[in-house]
């Protein structure tokens, strides 16, 4: 009987991409995807360390995994439990201390070694393998060919971060910035398109600082790469994420004018509207330079809409600082956003700063900010009613005959249709809207 795997993914899109690649490696080894965790011979948690809650979730899931492992053992089945991702990089010894039944753990930069690790475990029956190298080799050179899993695909072009925002673990968990060569990215994009993708989202912790080499060894920037991507036959939609405001240059802004498949939606995290807080966060932008960049982007493409990330309750944030954030939200008019209470991360400079904000204040500020952000999101969605959008359908809806797709602005759209819509772009007229999604009817093929 074929062995089955189950992967649970936490965290950002990079982790989603990594999990997809690990699944492909496992399938190459003969594993099949399990429908539920209790059917799996291999259970893998791909973890996130960005906020305290994300890391704690892993330990409660591991507790449950042990129970399932023991239940399976009673029925005569063994289970290998592995932990991957950013928690491993940050807390390798802690994991084995708190969950000694974990068979192996590796960080985000060494998951290409998964087949080897599994073979070692099976051959020697060893447990407790931990691999948190920052290896000299790039994992991308050792992964099997990527293929499309649907109409939208992620493509990692860059990994790691050199920005060291004072609250953030990413530079410690993903290491220094690394950019994949242009030819590798283009080759992967071609394979994704050949296997059915219409939309590619170029991924990196800080994609704006992409500096991959071309075939002549010349370093090329993100704008160059976007232009190369735009030349690919069959690609209908292009996105890139995540952007760092200080690294948005004029060449990149021009892409939003000149590349018609570049979607009119950009996630440009600002974090705070207060210059004092931005400085303490070690962000290299001010509220003024941020507003200027957004203005230039909107001048380049008047249809462009923005989304962002926010942190409230960063050390020393006063009511007046928070007001500045609210004011910035009004000025920019985001159509979507993620907002978080500041979470102390061990080893980061902000964790030991004076002026830590009480939990109660953080919660109050988050409620106020989210109320405002949701109102803006709702207003934008309502404005879409009666309009027609190209929608790329990706998922089955909850009701029979219902499908879910995305507009160019990343809004979820529910519409009735047939399963041959999946992975396709259709024109959809929007009939109604809520804060979180739109409902529409397919009027013709896109
Ligand atoms: N590379 C991206 C995303 C990093 S993580 C960027 O630079 O924007 C995603 C988001 O998590 C961040 O934008 C930030 O808003 C949030 N975040 C990161 N560390 C955090 C912390 N310690 N507490 C609360 N939110 C945090
Ligand atoms: Fe973290 Fe800042 Fe790098 Fe984003 S830019 S990953 S928030 S250090
Ligand atoms: Fe989390 Fe690591 Fe991504 S910490 S947000 S999974 S880079």
């Amino acid at each position: 009987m074929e062995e089955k795997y189950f992967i649970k993914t936490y965290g950002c899109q990079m982790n989603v991409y990594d999990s997809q690649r690990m699944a492909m490696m496992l399938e190459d080894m003969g594993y099949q995807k399990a429908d539920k965790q209790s059917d799996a011979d291999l259970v893998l948690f791909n973890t996130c360390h960005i906020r305290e809650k994300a890391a704690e979730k892993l330990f409660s899931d591991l507790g449950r995994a042990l129970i399932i492992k023991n239940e399976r053992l009673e029925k005569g089945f063994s289970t290998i439990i592995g932990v991957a991702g950013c928690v491993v990089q940050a807390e390798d010894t802690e994991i084995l201390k708190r969950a000694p039944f974990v068979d192996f753990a590796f960080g985000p930069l060494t998951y290409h070694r998964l087949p080897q690790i599994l073979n070692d475990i099976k051959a020697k029956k060893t447990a407790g393998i931990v691999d948190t190298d920052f290896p000299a080799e790039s994992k991308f050179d050792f992964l099997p060919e990527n293929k499309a899993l649907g109409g939208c695909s992620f493509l990692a072009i860059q990994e790691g971060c050199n920005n060291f925002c004072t609250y953030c673990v990413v530079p410690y968990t993903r290491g220094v910035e690394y950019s994949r060569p242009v030819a590798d990215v283009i080759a992967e994009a071609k394979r994704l398109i050949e296997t059915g993708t219409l939309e590619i989202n170029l991924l990196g912790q800080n994609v704006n600082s992409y500096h991959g080499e071309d075939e002549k060894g010349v370093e090329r920037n993100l704008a160059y790469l976007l232009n190369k991507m735009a030349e690919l036959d069959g690609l209908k939609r292009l996105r890139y994420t995540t952007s760092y405001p200080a690294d948005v240059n004029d060449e990149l802004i021009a892409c939003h004018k000149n590349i018609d498949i570049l979607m009119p939606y950009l996630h440009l995290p600002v974090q705070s509207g207060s210059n004092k807080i931005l400085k303490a966060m070690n962000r290299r932008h001010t509220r003024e330079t941020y507003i200027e960049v957004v203005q230039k982007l909107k001048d380049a493409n008047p249809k462009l809409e923005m989304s962002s990330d926010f942190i409230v309750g960063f050390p020393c944030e006063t009511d007046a600082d928070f007001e500045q954030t609210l004011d910035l939200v009004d000025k920019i008019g985001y159509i979507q956003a993620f907002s978080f209470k500041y979470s102390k991360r061990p080893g980061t400079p902000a964790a030991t700063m004076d002026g830590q904000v009480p939990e109660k204040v953080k919660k109050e500020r988050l409620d106020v900010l989210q109320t405002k952000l949701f109102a803006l999101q709702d207003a934008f969605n309502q404005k879409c009613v009666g309009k027609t959008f190209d929608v790329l359908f990706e998922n089955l809806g909850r009701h029979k005959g219902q499908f879910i797709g995305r507009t160019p602005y990343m809004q979820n759209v529910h519409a009735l249709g047939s399963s041959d819509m999946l992975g396709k772009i259709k024109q959809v007229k929007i009939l109604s809207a809520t804060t979180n999604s739109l409902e529409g009817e397919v009027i013709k093929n896109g």
Side-chain angles (χ1 to χ4, degrees), residues 10-12 15 47-50 86 169-170 173-174 205:
Y10 316 70
C12 64
N15 258 17
T47 61
C48 172
H49 200 242
I50 202 83
C86 293
V169 292
V170 171
T173 62
R174 296 264 171 176
Q205 251 60 254

mmCIF file of all heavy atoms in Angstrom, residues 10-12 15 47-50 86 169-170 173-174 205, ligand 3:
data_model
loop_
_atom_site.group_PDB
_atom_site.id
_atom_site.type_symbol
_atom_site.label_atom_id
_atom_site.label_comp_id
_atom_site.label_asym_id
_atom_site.label_seq_id
_atom_site.Cartn_x
_atom_site.Cartn_y
_atom_site.Cartn_z
ATOM 1 N N TYR A 10 1.343 26.797 8.203
ATOM 2 C CA TYR A 10 1.040 28.030 8.941
ATOM 3 C C TYR A 10 1.812 29.157 8.244
ATOM 4 O O TYR A 10 2.796 28.908 7.549
ATOM 5 C CB TYR A 10 1.556 27.973 10.374
ATOM 6 C CG TYR A 10 1.326 26.692 11.135
ATOM 7 C CD1 TYR A 10 2.013 25.532 10.802
ATOM 8 C CD2 TYR A 10 0.434 26.650 12.201
ATOM 9 C CE1 TYR A 10 1.826 24.367 11.524
ATOM 10 C CE2 TYR A 10 0.242 25.485 12.918
ATOM 11 C CZ TYR A 10 0.941 24.341 12.579
ATOM 12 O OH TYR A 10 0.758 23.191 13.283
ATOM 13 N N GLY A 11 1.396 30.409 8.492
ATOM 14 C CA GLY A 11 2.260 31.524 8.081
ATOM 15 C C GLY A 11 2.017 32.058 6.694
ATOM 16 O O GLY A 11 0.909 31.997 6.167
ATOM 17 N N CYS A 12 3.099 32.540 6.089
ATOM 18 C CA CYS A 12 2.977 33.386 4.897
ATOM 19 C C CYS A 12 2.949 32.573 3.602
ATOM 20 O O CYS A 12 3.051 31.349 3.605
ATOM 21 C CB CYS A 12 4.130 34.368 4.867
ATOM 22 S SG CYS A 12 5.726 33.557 4.683
ATOM 23 N N ASN A 15 5.637 30.068 2.888
ATOM 24 C CA ASN A 15 5.431 28.748 3.479
ATOM 25 C C ASN A 15 4.464 27.911 2.643
ATOM 26 O O ASN A 15 4.638 26.705 2.539
ATOM 27 C CB ASN A 15 4.903 28.887 4.915
ATOM 28 C CG ASN A 15 6.004 28.659 5.933
ATOM 29 O OD1 ASN A 15 7.185 28.711 5.600
ATOM 30 N ND2 ASN A 15 5.630 28.408 7.179
ATOM 31 N N THR A 47 5.915 25.456 9.761
ATOM 32 C CA THR A 47 5.565 26.399 10.830
ATOM 33 C C THR A 47 5.986 27.847 10.595
ATOM 34 O O THR A 47 6.860 28.137 9.785
ATOM 35 C CB THR A 47 6.249 25.927 12.122
ATOM 36 O OG1 THR A 47 7.671 25.949 11.897
ATOM 37 C CG2 THR A 47 5.819 24.528 12.493
ATOM 38 N N CYS A 48 5.371 28.718 11.384
ATOM 39 C CA CYS A 48 5.619 30.161 11.307
ATOM 40 C C CYS A 48 5.968 30.688 12.699
ATOM 41 O O CYS A 48 5.367 30.284 13.679
ATOM 42 C CB CYS A 48 4.358 30.836 10.791
ATOM 43 S SG CYS A 48 4.409 32.626 10.854
ATOM 44 N N HIS A 49 6.906 31.625 12.742
ATOM 45 C CA HIS A 49 7.385 32.123 14.033
ATOM 46 C C HIS A 49 7.105 33.617 14.190
ATOM 47 O O HIS A 49 7.588 34.260 15.123
ATOM 48 C CB HIS A 49 8.903 31.860 14.116
ATOM 49 C CG HIS A 49 9.450 31.867 15.502
ATOM 50 N ND1 HIS A 49 10.393 32.761 15.925
ATOM 51 C CD2 HIS A 49 9.188 31.087 16.564
ATOM 52 C CE1 HIS A 49 10.688 32.522 17.189
ATOM 53 N NE2 HIS A 49 9.973 31.519 17.600
ATOM 54 N N ILE A 50 6.310 34.175 13.298
ATOM 55 C CA ILE A 50 6.227 35.634 13.194
ATOM 56 C C ILE A 50 5.617 36.271 14.444
ATOM 57 O O ILE A 50 6.048 37.326 14.870
ATOM 58 C CB ILE A 50 5.478 36.060 11.901
ATOM 59 C CG1 ILE A 50 5.854 37.481 11.517
ATOM 60 C CG2 ILE A 50 3.981 35.928 11.988
ATOM 61 C CD1 ILE A 50 7.111 37.599 10.743
ATOM 62 N N CYS A 86 9.891 28.077 9.986
ATOM 63 C CA CYS A 86 10.583 29.126 10.731
ATOM 64 C C CYS A 86 10.683 28.869 12.230
ATOM 65 O O CYS A 86 11.622 29.338 12.864
ATOM 66 C CB CYS A 86 9.916 30.469 10.454
ATOM 67 S SG CYS A 86 10.140 30.990 8.740
ATOM 68 N N VAL A 169 11.262 38.489 13.066
ATOM 69 C CA VAL A 169 12.138 37.307 13.136
ATOM 70 C C VAL A 169 12.657 36.851 11.770
ATOM 71 O O VAL A 169 13.577 36.028 11.705
ATOM 72 C CB VAL A 169 11.415 36.088 13.779
ATOM 73 C CG1 VAL A 169 11.129 36.319 15.244
ATOM 74 C CG2 VAL A 169 10.153 35.724 13.007
ATOM 75 N N VAL A 170 12.061 37.355 10.695
ATOM 76 C CA VAL A 170 12.362 36.782 9.374
ATOM 77 C C VAL A 170 13.869 36.776 9.036
ATOM 78 O O VAL A 170 14.386 35.757 8.555
ATOM 79 C CB VAL A 170 11.524 37.461 8.264
ATOM 80 C CG1 VAL A 170 11.984 37.022 6.882
ATOM 81 C CG2 VAL A 170 10.050 37.119 8.444
ATOM 82 N N THR A 173 15.152 33.750 10.734
ATOM 83 C CA THR A 173 14.640 32.428 10.362
ATOM 84 C C THR A 173 14.922 32.091 8.888
ATOM 85 O O THR A 173 15.104 30.934 8.548
ATOM 86 C CB THR A 173 13.121 32.297 10.602
ATOM 87 O OG1 THR A 173 12.441 33.242 9.800
ATOM 88 C CG2 THR A 173 12.777 32.510 12.059
ATOM 89 N N ARG A 174 14.930 33.109 8.046
ATOM 90 C CA ARG A 174 15.127 32.838 6.612
ATOM 91 C C ARG A 174 16.500 33.263 6.130
ATOM 92 O O ARG A 174 16.821 33.123 4.942
ATOM 93 C CB ARG A 174 14.060 33.566 5.788
ATOM 94 C CG ARG A 174 12.657 33.098 6.038
ATOM 95 C CD ARG A 174 12.221 32.074 5.016
ATOM 96 N NE ARG A 174 10.951 31.487 5.395
ATOM 97 C CZ ARG A 174 10.282 30.622 4.649
ATOM 98 N NH1 ARG A 174 10.747 30.248 3.493
ATOM 99 N NH2 ARG A 174 9.147 30.120 5.077
ATOM 100 N N GLN A 205 10.436 37.674 0.626
ATOM 101 C CA GLN A 205 10.241 38.469 1.843
ATOM 102 C C GLN A 205 10.327 39.954 1.524
ATOM 103 O O GLN A 205 9.706 40.780 2.143
ATOM 104 C CB GLN A 205 11.326 38.120 2.860
ATOM 105 C CG GLN A 205 10.856 37.343 4.033
ATOM 106 C CD GLN A 205 10.253 36.019 3.644
ATOM 107 O OE1 GLN A 205 9.052 35.899 3.708
ATOM 108 N NE2 GLN A 205 11.048 35.058 3.223
HETATM 109 FE FE1 LIG B 3 6.126 33.102 9.302
HETATM 110 FE FE2 LIG B 3 8.473 32.446 8.399
HETATM 111 FE FE3 LIG B 3 6.682 33.417 6.778
HETATM 112 S S1 LIG B 3 8.070 33.391 10.327
HETATM 113 S S2 LIG B 3 5.516 34.784 8.068
HETATM 114 S S3 LIG B 3 6.523 31.513 7.842
HETATM 115 S S4 LIG B 3 8.849 33.771 6.679
#
